[in-house]
Each structure stands twice: as C-alpha cells, then as structure tokens.
Amino acid sequence: MQINHISNQNLSVESVARRPLPRAPLSATDQAVFAATEALNRALAEAPDVRTPEVARGADLVNTAQYPPMEMIKRISRLLANNWDGPPE
C-alpha cells in the first residue's frame, strides 16, 4: 500500500517556497497627514512635568499617621486573601 502525503497533486515545492514580489515604493499620496501634530507637540512642550499641588497633597498624605486608613488596609488584605491562588509556579 502506498500513502501519498501531498493532498494537492498540482502543488509543487517551488510554488510554496516562492517569495512575494517586493512592494512598489510609496508615493506622496500614501503618506498620512496629521495637521494637529504641531499643535499637540507645542502643548506637550508647554505642559509642566510636575503638578505642584498634587505633589504637596501626596507629601501631606505620607506624613499623616492615619493614611491609609486602617479600614482600607483591612479591605485590601481581605480582597488579596480571597483572590490569592497561591505562589506562581
């Protein structure tokens, strides 16, 4: 008994190994145009790196002995314990 593993007899190794033809270079009309890019870059350059009021608020919270509240710590620990699947394998 002979078993032929090729299901399509017209398929050859050459047709499978043939690489696609290289694509023609893009023309100027194929380029995306972003009109607002310049304005966005200016706005990003003018934006401050640090929001001073938020940094001050964070520093105040860190210095507060009651932050985070004990109730929040208990709730987070319960959530972690209830959803913990054990150490990663």
Side-chain angles (χ1 to χ4, degrees):
M1 174 163 89
Q2 180 180 3
I3 299 174
N4 189 352
H5 295 287
I6 299 175
S7 61
N8 186 350
Q9 295 296 329
N10 297 327
L11 186 64
S12 68
V13 174
E14 181 181 323
S15 65
V16 172
R18 192 175 306 154
R19 297 189 183 268
L21 296 173
R23 189 174 163 195
L26 297 175
S27 66
T29 59
D30 288 341
Q31 300 297 318
V33 177
F34 298 101
T37 303
E38 194 172 312
L40 178 62
N41 286 336
R42 261 195 319 272
L44 287 172
E46 293 170 3
D49 290 335
V50 176
R51 297 182 301 171
T52 307
E54 295 301 316
V55 172
R57 180 176 172 265
D60 288 342
L61 287 174
V62 168
N63 293 328
T64 303
Q66 296 297 320
Y67 186 80
M70 188 53 68
E71 184 60 31
M72 184 185 294
I73 293 173
K74 287 178 182 178
R75 287 183 180 183
I76 292 172
S77 61
R78 263 189 246 123
L79 279 171
L80 289 171
N82 290 335
N83 294 303
W84 190 53
D85 293 332
E89 294 179 16

